[in-house]
Amino acid sequence: MKRVLFIIWMLALVIHLQQAAHAENTALFSDDFAGGIQSIVNSDEGIVVLGEKGLFLWRSDTNLQEQILHREKLPSSGDLSLVLWQGKPFLLDQWTGQLYQVADGQAYLAYAIPEDVFQYEDQGEMTTKQIIRCVTAGDRLFLLLGSFTFEQGDVKELYALESDLQTLTRLSSQEIQALWSAAGEQLLVEEILDGANRLCLYDPQTQNNLRVWNELDTQEKAGFVWDEEEKTLYYTGDSGKVYALAEDGSIILCAYLPFKFQYTSDSAFLYHQQTYAYLHSGMFFMRELQRDGASVVTLNIMGMPDEQMIARFSAEYPEISINLQNRTEDIQALQRAIILSDGSVDLYLVASDGIYSDVIEKGYAMTLEASEALRGYAERFYPWVRDVIIKDDQLLALPASISIDHWTMNQTKWNELALGDRPKTLEQLFRLADRWQADYAQDNEDWCLFDCLDGLEGVMQDMVRQYLLEHETWEQPVSFDTEEFRNAAAAAWEYRDAFQSSGEQQALLMNYPQYFGTGYNDEDLVVSTLPVRLSEESPYRVRGTMDLWILSPASLHQKEALLFLQYAMEHMDTETRYRIDSGRNQPVRLSSYAQRIEEVQQEAEELRQRLAHTEDEAERMMLEDTFFQIELRLERLEETSWEISEADIAIYKEIAPYVTIPLRTIYPKDSSTVTQTLDQVISRFASGQLPLDRFIKELDEKSLMIFAEMK
């Protein structure tokens, strides 16, 4: 009796373990074993993954990986689709139409789409068709090809390739727009009938539809999977929600995926009938299907944070789903969303120079002081960040992203032309621009000193914004009738002819950021630098703007929202962290550095072996030259393979003390009515319609009016 009970217990344990292994919530990303994922299919032995690093067999229940094909053995174009045909992996080259069978660590050419099928003529020129989808069903491989001609417009064609790898047959004259695998010999297709898209279960043998889902709107839906046994259709829509459409027409929400948009090119399959597997933008997700309805906590976020971060959070915390909603910069719309939403808004993003001030004033930001970790992060930020997010010693917001309007200089070309010190004030810039036109422009036709496509008008717009950054407060309206602004505007008018560029030229000095610290434009080193000041007496100021995380006071999931914010702070991208965290002083290598070094060192070792065994003098000289080039590559990798270098940090540390985050302004960088009001005054001055005194007077009048309206 005890033995029988023991056997029953063991069987129950095995069944439980099998179910646990099958019902998974996991994910693969670009930094996992396969690299960025291009294609993925299910097999009896596991999941076959095609990534940047090669072809792998992955057993998700044990996380064991076996490399089937190394990266260097992949077909050369790199744009490949993976299919499993009669239990064997095949790779289809999207550009050439060549089909490769993978066996014994090699990819062998097995078939090529005939030229008379793959190519077509459009307006006298031959071109190739697009391979929209490649799937298998039964013993055949199906290709959906697309073409576009001036006469016929957009045309889709469905072909079937027999297992003999010789017979290719065009199927159906139906207007099939998309294609997915289904059970057995069947396919799921999206077709157009009477101008409307509909999803069908298609039998390629008879070329007839076995089932039509007329009631299902296929727009903005993807990842269609047909479960023949349960007679259930699974699909993804509404910002990553996974639905099950039963035979009786009932629809159940049974899982969540962490993204806002889904695409027809995304692919999906059922894993052991219990897990929905989905490939999206190089990321792969597996979600346990809850056929009685998903019961996980849902965080509702207004805004579009970094998709990779959202996906990784979801992979680590599958019990918390993310529902992304469109953000708003309208305080009334936000107020309605918070007050009337019945707690359906948990977190939202706002711009520091948008409605953030209104949010704080109206009490729409919940304090984050419940999290010691979040307060700890905030204490490490630069003072100009803390001044924005901490009010009355309460942490009310956290940075999601930041933009800093420092300038950029082409240091290589600047030094080559011996232009001297970088200008520190507007007048110095104007004089140098004038000298450029006289002494340098003719011999450097591809270059201009300063990027100023809008001429004097653009220069004046920047000048007004810089002046406001220095002087604007909300205690009283700013006045432009000062010696500082008057002299700068007079100098701009005096040198108005110096600001000319064709739009095709490259600038030596740019009034916008390009890199954090340093970077390269082609072979030229470019560096970040402080903007010029209005005068010698003017302070340095660098404008910054942030997107800010806000916790809604009406949130029903504040614990989960704080967990999400902590994850966002921990996994902030490196450049953003270095821009806001005053304690970041150590350089950071690129994540690909170690792999790239290993590859070049392996190449060098192979070359050493060839050198040791060659007796041909000409070949030896050639190999030695190649070896010298490899050594140079290693040196260059050592110098350039930095995500954040010591030079980057040193340059940014010179800029950071002067950053200012304005919370509101009478002259924002947008197309609003207030911006257009000041733009018109500036335009009239730049075109000579307003003398300087009248220009300043009108600026003051318009500024006072806008200030009164915004106060």
Side-chain angles (χ1 to χ4, degrees):
M1 182 66 180
K2 290 182 179 180
R3 184 177 181 185
V4 171
L5 290 173
F6 176 76
I7 293 172
I8 293 173
W9 178 81
M10 285 297 295
L11 285 171
L13 178 62
V14 169
I15 292 170
H16 171 76
L17 290 174
Q18 287 177 336
Q19 289 175 341
H22 294 165
E24 301 176 65
N25 288 293
T26 188
L28 293 178
F29 299 102
S30 59
D31 56 358
D32 284 314
F33 63 88
I37 301 173
Q38 296 176 330
S39 195
I40 201 157
V41 295
N42 193 18
S43 76
D44 293 338
E45 297 180 8
I47 297 173
V48 186
V49 181
L50 172 63
E52 296 170 329
K53 298 179 182 179
L55 190 65
F56 297 83
L57 178 65
W58 176 49
R59 295 173 176 85
S60 60
D61 50 350
T62 60
N63 200 32
L64 295 177
Q65 312 106 33
E66 174 189 343
Q67 188 154 27
I68 302 172
L69 195 65
H70 288 274
R71 175 174 50 189
E72 61 270 14
K73 298 294 181 65
L74 293 173
S76 59
S77 87
D79 193 0
L80 304 169
S81 291
L82 168 68
V83 292
L84 200 67
W85 195 9
Q86 297 180 323
K88 303 171 185 175
F90 283 77
L91 300 172
L92 179 65
D93 191 315
Q94 299 282 334
W95 290 102
T96 66
Q98 294 176 315
L99 183 68
Y100 296 83
Q101 181 178 345
V102 177
D104 303 322
Q106 301 289 334
Y108 301 97
L109 181 62
Y111 180 78
I113 301 174
E115 287 187 4
D116 61 340
V117 173
F118 197 42
Q119 296 185 349
Y120 69 101
E121 183 178 344
D122 181 29
Q123 301 184 64
E125 294 186 4
M126 296 300 295
T127 186
T128 56
K129 296 175 183 175
Q130 176 192 5
I131 300 176
I132 299 170
R133 182 78 80 174
C134 171
V135 301
T136 59
D139 293 334
R140 295 194 288 178
L141 182 144
F142 295 88
L143 297 164
L144 185 62
L145 307 182
S147 60
F148 182 87
T149 62
F150 183 77
E151 294 82 9
Q152 294 182 291
D154 192 17
V155 176
K156 305 286 196 308
E157 302 168 335
L158 179 62
Y159 288 87
L161 178 64
E162 303 295 336
S163 57
D164 61 7
L165 292 171
Q166 295 182 7
T167 308
L168 185 70
T169 307
R170 182 176 178 182
L171 305 180
S172 183
S173 60
Q174 295 168 272
E175 294 191 60
I176 293 176
Q177 302 298 300
L179 180 69
W180 300 272
S181 293
E185 303 281 342
Q186 302 163 354
L187 298 171
L188 280 174
V189 301
E190 182 183 16
E191 67 176 23
I192 296 179
L193 183 66
D194 298 329
N197 289 44
R198 63 179 192 172
L199 189 72
C200 308
L201 186 63
Y202 176 74
D203 181 3
Q205 296 286 353
T206 63
Q207 301 188 41
N208 292 319
N209 291 328
L210 303 176
R211 180 188 293 261
V212 178
W213 288 272
N214 287 308
E215 74 283 3
L216 180 64
D217 181 7
T218 60
Q219 296 300 308
E220 299 183 1
K221 295 180 178 62
F224 293 101
V225 178
W226 172 243
D227 185 342
E228 176 68 25
E229 182 178 335
E230 298 289 335
K231 304 298 182 188
T232 299
L233 178 72
Y234 295 94
Y235 62 90
T236 299
D238 302 330
S239 301
K241 296 181 179 66
V242 181
Y243 294 101
L245 174 56
E247 192 167 22
D248 62 5
S250 61
I251 299 177
I252 299 172
L253 174 62
C254 52
Y256 293 89
L257 293 166
F259 45 79
K260 184 171 181 59
F261 303 105
Q262 48 277 321
Y263 309 107
T264 305
S265 57
D266 294 349
S267 58
F269 59 83
L270 288 185
Y271 181 67
H272 293 293
Q273 302 300 117
Q274 297 183 27
T275 304
Y276 184 77
Y278 194 95
L279 177 62
H280 169 81
S281 299
M283 301 176 288
F284 178 64
F285 303 92
M286 299 179 70
R287 287 292 179 264
E288 179 185 355
L289 291 170
Q290 300 182 44
R291 291 184 170 90
D292 294 330
S295 58
V296 297
V297 172
T298 301
L299 275 182
N300 294 286
I301 298 176
M302 293 181 68
M304 276 297 294
D306 177 66
E307 186 179 52
Q308 282 276 344
M309 190 271 289
I310 290 286
R312 291 176 183 274
F313 174 82
S314 180
E316 191 161 333
Y317 299 98
E319 71 278 9
I320 304 175
S321 70
I322 303 294
N323 180 35
L324 298 176
Q325 305 171 15
N326 294 328
R327 69 185 285 177
T328 180
E329 288 295 333
D330 181 292
I331 190 64
Q332 268 73 38
L334 181 63
Q335 181 174 314
R336 289 191 298 271
I338 292 175
I339 296 177
L340 304 177
S341 66
D342 193 26
S344 65
V345 175
D346 297 296
L347 292 164
Y348 58 94
L349 286 168
V350 295
S352 58
D353 59 348
I355 60 174
Y356 176 64
S357 295
D358 294 326
V359 165
I360 300 302
E361 290 173 8
K362 293 180 181 297
Y364 295 158
M366 181 70 178
T367 178
L368 306 176
E369 292 294 332
S371 171
E372 292 183 9
L374 295 181
R375 182 70 190 214
Y377 277 111
E379 293 297 335
R380 296 202 293 266
F381 297 156
Y382 281 101
W384 40 266
V385 179
R386 297 201 304 270
D387 289 345
V388 173
I389 64 176
I390 299 175
K391 302 294 182 183
D392 298 326
D393 202 34
Q394 292 292 304
L395 179 62
L396 299 177
L398 287 166
S401 63
I402 185 167
S403 174
I404 297 176
D405 294 341
H406 56 72
W407 286 20
T408 306
M409 184 175 73
N410 186 316
Q411 186 166 295
T412 299
K413 192 68 175 178
W414 192 279
N415 293 343
E416 180 184 312
L417 294 173
L419 291 172
D421 293 337
R422 178 188 67 83
K424 302 295 193 300
T425 67
L426 279 172
E427 187 166 1
Q428 290 175 11
L429 173 64
F430 298 158
R431 289 176 179 172
L432 185 57
D434 188 58
R435 183 159 65 92
W436 173 272
Q437 295 288 3
D439 300 340
Y440 294 91
Q442 188 172 352
D443 296 331
N444 297 275
E445 294 180 352
D446 295 332
W447 295 88
C448 63
L449 179 78
F450 184 63
D451 203 350
C452 49
L453 294 180
D454 295 325
L456 178 59
E457 184 174 345
V459 170
M460 292 305 302
Q461 289 172 352
D462 286 346
M463 184 189 300
V464 169
R465 288 194 171 96
Q466 187 67 19
Y467 184 80
L468 289 170
L469 192 62
E470 295 176 15
H471 298 284
E472 192 172 25
T473 71
W474 287 95
E475 297 174 358
Q476 60 184 14
V478 69
S479 173
F480 291 89
D481 192 5
T482 63
E483 183 179 355
E484 177 189 21
F485 185 80
R486 183 180 292 275
N487 290 342
W493 178 258
E494 179 183 352
Y495 292 101
R496 60 190 178 278
D497 294 332
F499 297 100
Q500 305 294 331
S501 64
S502 66
E504 302 296 326
Q505 296 167 308
Q506 298 181 68
L508 299 181
L509 193 61
M510 294 146 272
N511 64 342
Y512 50 85
Q514 285 196 348
Y515 302 100
F516 178 86
T518 64
Y520 284 88
N521 290 350
D522 297 325
E523 295 298 317
D524 290 351
L525 174 67
V526 297
V527 297
S528 302
T529 185
L530 285 164
V532 296
R533 295 173 291 167
L534 267 70
S535 70
E536 291 283 0
E537 292 73 31
S538 302
Y540 278 115
R541 289 287 188 274
V542 187
R543 175 185 170 87
T545 56
M546 294 188 292
D547 269 353
L548 296 165
W549 286 112
I550 307 291
L551 172 59
S552 169
S555 169
L556 300 178
H557 307 295
Q558 292 185 11
K559 177 184 176 182
E560 290 79 9
L562 291 172
L563 179 64
F564 173 85
L565 290 176
Q566 184 173 334
Y567 188 91
M569 292 300 101
E570 291 171 354
H571 296 83
M572 184 180 291
D573 73 89
T574 306
E575 184 174 314
T576 299
R577 188 180 303 282
Y578 271 67
R579 285 191 183 278
I580 65 175
D581 190 332
S582 60
R584 295 286 168 166
N585 299 305
Q586 296 300 315
V588 180
R589 284 286 189 189
L590 287 169
S591 58
S592 60
Y593 171 71
Q595 180 180 329
R596 291 170 66 186
I597 285 289
E598 183 181 349
E599 289 172 352
V600 178
Q601 288 176 339
Q602 183 178 349
E603 190 177 340
E605 181 58 31
E606 290 173 356
L607 203 58
R608 285 192 192 94
Q609 296 296 326
R610 290 178 62 187
L611 272 167
H613 294 89
T614 185
E615 297 180 359
D616 185 278
E617 188 62 27
E619 183 182 6
R620 173 177 290 278
M621 292 177 62
M622 181 188 70
L623 291 175
E624 287 176 346
D625 181 65
T626 303
F627 191 79
F628 176 72
Q629 296 300 322
I630 290 176
E631 288 181 322
L632 289 179
R633 282 167 57 196
L634 279 170
E635 290 178 12
R636 184 67 185 269
L637 275 174
E638 178 68 28
E639 294 172 1
T640 62
S641 294
W642 294 98
E643 186 174 2
I644 304 288
S645 69
E646 289 185 359
D648 294 333
I649 295 169
I651 289 171
Y652 184 70
K653 291 292 185 182
E654 294 178 358
I655 295 171
Y658 304 105
V659 174
T660 299
I661 309 286
L663 299 187
R664 60 175 71 181
T665 178
I666 61 171
Y667 192 34
K669 281 188 173 182
D670 57 25
S671 57
S672 63
T673 303
V674 294
T675 300
Q676 292 177 26
T677 298
L678 293 183
D679 277 347
Q680 291 169 5
V681 178
I682 292 170
S683 178
R684 290 167 63 204
F685 172 73
S687 62
Q689 298 177 48
L690 289 178
L692 180 59
D693 287 342
R694 184 62 190 169
F695 169 58
I696 291 175
K697 184 177 180 180
E698 287 205 17
L699 274 181
D700 277 355
E701 291 173 352
K702 300 298 184 184
S703 298
L704 177 60
M705 178 188 69
I706 296 169
F707 177 85
E709 291 177 352
M710 295 178 66
K711 184 66 173 173

